[in-house]
Amino acid sequence: MTGLDAIKDVQTVTAGGEPVATYIAGVQVRRTRTHQDERGELCEVYDPAWGFTAEPMVYAYQAMIRPGMAKGWILHEQQDDRLFISFGTAKVVLYDAREGSETRGMLNEVYLGERDRGIVVIPRGVWHAVENVGSGDLYYLNLPTKAYNHASPDKYRLPLDTDQIPYRFEGRRGW
């Protein structure tokens, strides 16, 4: 033993590299592969043939977050978000405040980036925020299940430092 008040690490992935975390009900994460050759690289963003989500693709947009910044907290009542992290390093934080949900009160942190790209489905009613935890700009695509309604946006916001969600965005320096 160390003789100090050391904390032992807990398992976060299987021997095959799959996360052991339990996700909020309805949250899905699909890691994607980036294919490289001498010409460059290609990464599939979304394919209905994956059977990943039954909702059709109806709208898409790209967003960018500068280093050290975060966007959120956001909630939708009528749509699911499908975020694909394409460039940079993101921490997607999710909080389930849905009445009647078996995972009510659960928090998730999902890390995705250009070295481990993927798409995360965020069900309607789940609060979410995206933080750039990398050193460069973060770019992601959103493929929501409903097109944006400019006259009446399906978007509800809380400040990042709200007391209504038990999570704090603070600069981490590692350990």
Side-chain angles (χ1 to χ4, degrees), residues 50-89:
W50 294 340
F52 181 62
T53 176
E55 300 273 352
M57 193 172 113
V58 296
Y59 188 76
Y61 66 87
Q62 178 175 279
M64 186 270 283
I65 302 175
R66 299 202 189 287
M69 302 301 286
K71 290 186 177 185
W73 293 100
I74 297 169
L75 177 134
H76 305 290
E77 289 184 340
Q78 301 171 16
Q79 73 180 48
D80 298 346
D81 276 345
R82 297 178 289 203
L83 304 183
F84 176 81
I85 309 305
S86 59
F87 188 76
T89 307

Side-chain angles (χ1 to χ4, degrees), residues 8 16 22 24 39 67 69 77-79 101 108 140 149 159 168 172:
K8 184 179 181 309
T22 302
I24 290 169
R39 299 167 298 163
M69 302 301 286
E77 289 184 340
Q78 301 171 16
Q79 73 180 48
S101 171
N108 288 146
Y140 64 93
N149 182 340
R168 292 293 168 260
R172 295 184 183 175

Side-chain angles (χ1 to χ4, degrees), residues 30-45 47 50 84 114-117:
R30 185 183 194 284
R31 309 269 175 188
T32 57
R33 286 195 58 188
T34 299
H35 304 278
Q36 300 180 33
D37 64 21
E38 65 276 1
R39 299 167 298 163
E41 62 182 40
L42 177 138
C43 182
E44 293 179 336
V45 173
D47 185 345
W50 294 340
F84 176 81
E114 61 200 68
R115 291 191 182 105
D116 187 21
R117 291 182 173 122

